[in-house]
Amino acid sequence: MTMRLFGKLVFLLTKERMEYRGDFILAVIAQIINYIGDYLIIWLFIRKFDTLAGWTWPEIALLYSLGLFTYALGASFSFVQMRDLENQVKNGTFDSILIKPVNPYLYIVCRGFNLGYLAHVAISGSVLIWALYELNLYLSWYEFMYLFLCIIGGAMIQAGFMSVIGAMSFIWVRTGFLFTLFFKFKEFISYPLPVFGTFIQVLLTFLVPFAFINFYPAAFLLSKGTALLSSWAMWFVPLMGPVCYVLGYRLWMLSVNKYQGAGG
């Protein structure tokens, strides 16, 4: 699949979605209100204790916004697509994709592009900019580049893990419980890693590297100490995204190659 065809499919889907502008706008507003509530809950919690593991409210707002922003970017190309694979495999409708002369992964990813995550981008992006201003973080060019690469990397980590879950659809068919587990793990990164015990810190760093989505990038920008990674290791943080995504993609393609149909 060429980038031109990829862009064409995304454009057609966007055009199709915008045929119902009222429904789209209401959905965006509802999502924004929902996440404003989440920010409010965290703010009230921090207000009671002043700081959390040495992190102030603007610092945690930066942390949470990085997690939400990267999730929106990654999930727009992976969540609905991988979640729906369960039913497609179960009902046999996925087989029709395999006869198309395109890469099945790229076809599913761009055909299911979700504009609804615009709400996530709007609220998290706004709070992220506010947090940087409130913390007086005037980023140098290399810090800005580091933040940009970490955002891309964080999105790729989440898309990679969701691709792994999608790959399991070809093996186990039912994968809803894996998405539940994914979001349970993601809840941990709403707060600074030192809040949790050593086991959770090791788990989210080396086994399920969700801490690379927002904690380590934020800790580097805020000059916060990290127990498990030295300061020089911060420059390797953006690399975790491409690694996770490539592994997720490879597993997905390997699983498709072993797929034998709805009855297989």
Side-chain angles (χ1 to χ4, degrees):
M1 177 183 288
T2 64
M3 290 304 297
R4 182 179 179 182
L5 179 57
F6 184 92
K8 184 68 174 179
L9 286 171
V10 172
F11 171 76
L12 290 174
L13 179 67
T14 302
K15 186 176 180 181
E16 175 187 315
R17 187 70 178 87
M18 294 310 294
E19 288 294 324
Y20 304 93
R21 291 184 179 85
D23 175 69
F24 174 74
I25 292 172
L26 287 175
V28 168
I29 293 174
Q31 288 285 354
I32 289 176
I33 293 174
N34 178 62
Y35 279 105
I36 287 176
D38 288 347
Y39 277 107
L40 182 60
I41 290 172
I42 296 174
W43 175 74
L44 290 172
F45 185 76
I46 300 302
R47 186 184 179 190
K48 183 175 180 63
F49 296 99
D50 193 32
T51 62
L52 192 61
W55 290 59
T56 63
W57 158 239
E59 292 171 338
I60 293 179
L62 173 67
L63 181 76
Y64 187 84
S65 296
L66 275 176
L68 182 58
F69 193 89
T70 56
Y71 169 73
L73 296 180
S76 62
F77 286 100
S78 57
F79 173 60
V80 172
Q81 296 88 325
M82 300 305 156
R83 182 198 64 187
D84 290 350
L85 270 179
E86 176 181 317
N87 286 330
Q88 291 179 26
V89 170
K90 183 171 61 177
N91 298 329
T93 55
F94 177 77
D95 295 33
S96 63
I97 296 175
L98 294 177
I99 63 175
K100 299 181 185 296
V102 294
N103 181 307
Y105 180 87
L106 294 180
Y107 178 82
I108 285 176
V109 162
C110 63
R111 186 66 184 88
F113 177 68
N114 192 348
L115 273 178
Y117 285 104
L118 181 63
H120 300 62
V121 171
I123 184 65
S124 61
S126 299
V127 177
L128 180 61
I129 293 172
W130 170 84
L132 291 171
Y133 173 79
E134 190 70 14
L135 292 166
N136 294 316
L137 282 179
Y138 300 103
L139 304 179
S140 61
W141 70 268
Y142 71 86
E143 288 175 324
F144 180 82
M145 183 59 65
Y146 178 81
L147 177 60
F148 174 77
L149 292 176
C150 284
I151 288 174
I152 300 302
M156 294 180 79
I157 289 173
Q158 304 199 57
F161 271 90
M162 284 187 272
S163 296
V164 169
I165 297 174
M168 294 300 101
S169 297
F170 303 114
I171 302 172
W172 298 334
V173 182
R174 296 190 179 278
T175 56
F177 72 97
L178 290 177
F179 276 107
T180 300
L181 188 61
F182 171 84
F183 287 111
K184 289 297 182 182
F185 273 115
K186 211 167 77 67
E187 288 178 5
F188 284 109
I189 63 172
S190 298
Y191 304 95
L193 202 59
V195 169
F196 309 105
T198 303
F199 173 76
I200 295 298
Q201 294 186 45
V202 171
L203 177 67
L204 295 177
T205 299
F206 300 111
L207 299 179
V208 185
F210 282 7
F212 288 87
I213 293 172
N214 60 349
F215 173 72
Y216 288 118
F220 175 79
L221 292 173
L222 298 170
S223 300
K224 297 277 189 181
T226 58
L228 299 179
L229 293 183
S230 301
S231 57
W232 60 266
M234 294 298 102
W235 294 104
F236 293 96
V237 170
L239 298 177
M240 185 58 69
V243 170
C244 288
Y245 191 74
V246 169
L247 290 176
Y249 170 76
R250 291 295 184 186
L251 178 61
W252 199 94
M253 292 300 294
L254 180 64
S255 298
V256 166
N257 289 335
K258 293 183 178 296
Y259 173 67
Q260 297 181 358

